[in-house]
Coordinates of all heavy atoms in Angstrom, one line a residue:
V799 N -10.4 -11.7 -9.5 CA -9.6 -10.6 -8.9 C -9.3 -9.4 -10.0 O -9.4 -8.3 -9.5 CB -8.3 -11.1 -8.3 CG1 -7.4 -9.9 -7.8 CG2 -8.6 -11.9 -7.1
D800 N -9.1 -9.9 -11.1 CA -8.7 -8.9 -12.2 C -9.9 -7.8 -12.4 O -9.7 -6.7 -12.6 CB -8.3 -9.6 -13.5 CG -6.9 -10.1 -13.5 OD1 -6.2 -9.9 -12.4 OD2 -6.7 -10.9 -14.4
D801 N -11.1 -8.5 -12.4 CA -12.3 -7.6 -12.6 C -12.4 -6.7 -11.4 O -12.9 -5.4 -11.6 CB -13.5 -8.5 -12.8 CG -13.5 -9.2 -14.0 OD1 -12.6 -9.0 -14.9 OD2 -14.3 -10.2 -14.2
V802 N -12.2 -7.1 -10.3 CA -12.4 -6.4 -9.0 C -11.4 -5.2 -9.0 O -11.7 -4.0 -8.7 CB -12.3 -7.2 -7.7 CG1 -12.4 -6.3 -6.4 CG2 -13.4 -8.2 -7.7
V803 N -10.2 -5.5 -9.3 CA -9.0 -4.5 -9.3 C -9.5 -3.4 -10.4 O -9.4 -2.2 -10.2 CB -7.7 -5.0 -9.7 CG1 -6.7 -4.0 -10.0 CG2 -7.3 -6.0 -8.5
A804 N -9.9 -3.9 -11.5 CA -10.3 -3.0 -12.6 C -11.5 -2.1 -12.1 O -11.4 -0.8 -12.4 CB -10.7 -3.7 -13.9
D805 N -12.5 -2.6 -11.5 CA -13.6 -1.8 -11.0 C -12.9 -0.7 -10.0 O -13.4 0.5 -9.9 CB -14.5 -2.7 -10.1 CG -15.6 -3.3 -11.2 OD1 -15.6 -2.9 -12.3 OD2 -16.3 -4.1 -10.7
A806 N -12.2 -1.2 -9.0 CA -11.6 -0.3 -8.0 C -10.8 0.8 -8.7 O -10.9 2.0 -8.2 CB -10.7 -1.0 -7.1
I807 N -10.0 0.6 -9.7 CA -9.2 1.6 -10.4 C -10.1 2.6 -11.1 O -10.0 3.8 -11.1 CB -8.2 0.9 -11.3 CG1 -7.2 0.2 -10.5 CG2 -7.5 2.0 -12.3 CD1 -6.2 -0.6 -11.3
E808 N -11.1 2.0 -11.9 CA -12.1 2.9 -12.7 C -12.8 3.8 -11.7 O -12.9 5.0 -11.9 CB -13.0 2.1 -13.3 CG -14.1 2.9 -14.0 CD -15.2 2.1 -14.8 OE1 -15.4 1.0 -14.3 OE2 -15.8 2.6 -15.7
R809 N -13.3 3.4 -10.6 CA -14.1 4.2 -9.6 C -13.1 5.2 -8.9 O -13.4 6.3 -8.7 CB -14.7 3.3 -8.7 CG -15.9 2.6 -9.2 CD -16.6 1.6 -8.3 NE -17.9 1.1 -8.9 CZ -19.0 1.6 -8.6 NH1 -19.2 2.6 -7.6 NH2 -20.2 1.2 -9.1
G810 N -11.9 4.6 -8.6 CA -11.0 5.5 -7.9 C -10.6 6.7 -8.7 O -10.5 7.8 -8.3
R811 N -10.3 6.5 -10.0 CA -9.9 7.5 -10.9 C -11.1 8.5 -11.1 O -10.9 9.7 -11.0 CB -9.5 7.1 -12.2 CG -8.2 6.4 -12.3 CD -8.0 5.8 -13.5 NE -6.6 5.2 -13.8 CZ -6.2 4.4 -14.8 NH1 -7.0 4.1 -15.9 NH2 -4.9 4.0 -14.9
A812 N -12.2 8.0 -11.1 CA -13.4 8.8 -11.3 C -13.6 9.8 -10.0 O -14.1 10.9 -10.1 CB -14.6 8.0 -11.5
F813 N -13.4 9.1 -8.9 CA -13.6 9.9 -7.6 C -12.5 11.0 -7.5 O -12.8 12.1 -7.0 CB -13.5 8.8 -6.4 CG -14.6 7.9 -6.3 CD1 -14.5 6.7 -5.7 CD2 -15.8 8.0 -7.0 CE1 -15.4 5.7 -5.5 CE2 -16.8 7.1 -7.0 CZ -16.6 6.0 -6.2
L814 N -11.3 10.6 -7.8 CA -10.3 11.7 -7.8 C -10.7 12.9 -8.9 O -10.4 14.0 -8.6 CB -9.0 11.2 -8.3 CG -8.3 10.1 -7.2 CD1 -6.9 9.6 -7.8 CD2 -8.0 10.8 -5.9
D815 N -11.2 12.5 -10.0 CA -11.5 13.5 -11.0 C -12.6 14.4 -10.5 O -12.7 15.5 -10.9 CB -11.9 12.9 -12.3 CG -10.9 12.3 -13.1 OD1 -9.7 12.6 -12.8 OD2 -11.1 11.5 -14.0
A816 N -13.4 13.8 -9.5 CA -14.5 14.5 -9.1 C -14.2 15.4 -7.8 O -15.0 16.2 -7.3 CB -15.7 13.6 -8.7
G817 N -12.9 15.4 -7.4 CA -12.4 16.2 -6.3 C -12.0 15.4 -5.0 O -11.6 16.2 -4.1
A818 N -12.0 14.1 -5.0 CA -11.6 13.4 -3.8 C -10.1 13.4 -3.7 O -9.4 13.8 -4.6 CB -12.0 11.9 -3.9
A819 N -9.6 13.6 -2.5 CA -8.1 13.7 -2.1 C -7.4 12.3 -2.3 O -6.3 12.2 -2.6 CB -7.9 14.3 -0.9
C820 N -8.2 11.3 -2.0 CA -7.7 9.9 -1.9 C -8.8 9.0 -2.1 O -10.0 9.3 -2.0 CB -7.1 9.8 -0.4 SG -5.9 8.5 0.0
V821 N -8.4 7.7 -2.4 CA -9.3 6.7 -2.6 C -9.1 5.5 -1.6 O -8.0 4.9 -1.6 CB -9.2 6.0 -4.1 CG1 -10.2 4.9 -4.3 CG2 -9.4 7.2 -5.0
F822 N -10.1 5.1 -0.9 CA -10.0 4.2 0.1 C -10.5 2.8 -0.5 O -11.7 2.7 -1.0 CB -10.9 4.5 1.3 CG -11.0 3.7 2.5 CD1 -9.9 2.8 2.8 CD2 -12.1 3.5 3.3 CE1 -9.9 2.0 3.9 CE2 -12.1 2.7 4.4 CZ -11.0 1.9 4.7
V823 N -9.7 1.8 -0.3 CA -10.0 0.5 -0.9 C -9.9 -0.5 0.2 O -9.0 -1.2 0.4 CB -9.1 0.1 -2.1 CG1 -9.6 -1.2 -2.8 CG2 -9.0 1.3 -3.1
P824 N -11.0 -0.7 1.1 CA -10.9 -1.6 2.2 C -10.9 -3.1 1.6 O -11.5 -3.4 0.5 CB -12.2 -1.3 3.0 CG -13.1 -0.7 2.0 CD -12.3 0.0 1.0
G825 N -10.3 -3.9 2.4 CA -10.2 -5.4 2.1 C -8.8 -5.8 2.5 O -8.0 -5.1 2.8
K826 N -8.7 -7.2 2.6 CA -7.4 -7.8 3.0 C -6.6 -8.0 1.7 O -6.9 -8.9 0.9 CB -7.7 -9.1 3.7 CG -6.3 -9.8 4.2 CD -6.6 -10.9 5.1 CE -5.3 -11.5 5.6 NZ -5.6 -12.7 6.3
L827 N -5.8 -7.0 1.3 CA -5.1 -6.9 0.1 C -3.7 -7.5 0.1 O -3.0 -7.1 1.1 CB -5.1 -5.5 -0.4 CG -6.4 -4.7 -0.4 CD1 -6.2 -3.2 -0.7 CD2 -7.5 -5.3 -1.3
D828 N -3.4 -8.3 -0.8 CA -2.0 -8.7 -0.9 C -1.1 -7.7 -1.6 O -1.6 -6.7 -2.2 CB -1.9 -10.1 -1.6 CG -2.4 -10.2 -3.0 OD1 -2.3 -9.1 -3.6 OD2 -2.8 -11.3 -3.5
L829 N 0.2 -8.0 -1.6 CA 1.2 -7.1 -2.1 C 1.0 -6.9 -3.6 O 0.9 -5.6 -4.0 CB 2.6 -7.6 -1.9 CG 3.8 -6.7 -2.3 CD1 4.9 -6.9 -1.3 CD2 4.3 -6.9 -3.6
T830 N 0.7 -7.8 -4.5 CA 0.5 -7.6 -5.9 C -0.7 -6.7 -6.2 O -0.8 -5.8 -7.0 CB 0.3 -8.9 -6.6 OG1 1.5 -9.7 -6.5 CG2 0.0 -8.7 -8.1
T831 N -1.8 -6.9 -5.4 CA -3.0 -6.1 -5.5 C -2.7 -4.6 -5.1 O -3.1 -3.7 -5.9 CB -4.2 -6.6 -4.7 OG1 -4.4 -8.1 -5.0 CG2 -5.4 -5.8 -4.8
V832 N -2.2 -4.4 -4.1 CA -1.7 -3.0 -3.6 C -0.9 -2.3 -4.7 O -1.2 -1.2 -5.1 CB -1.1 -3.0 -2.3 CG1 -0.6 -1.5 -2.0 CG2 -2.0 -3.5 -1.3

């Protein structure tokens, strides 16, 4: 899970830097992950 979260964060930040308004992370996420 730690690797998956790290990937999502890296990609999310890159997408925001490229002009996205928001980052969609689909999946059944628990409270700590969110």
Side-chain angles (χ1 to χ4, degrees):
V799 172
D800 286 350
D801 292 348
V802 179
V803 170
D805 276 352
I807 291 172
E808 179 187 20
R809 286 173 171 265
R811 287 175 171 171
F813 296 160
L814 292 177
D815 288 345
C820 199
V821 178
F822 182 28
V823 190
K826 189 175 179 180
L827 309 176
D828 61 23
L829 189 145
T830 299
T831 299
V832 174

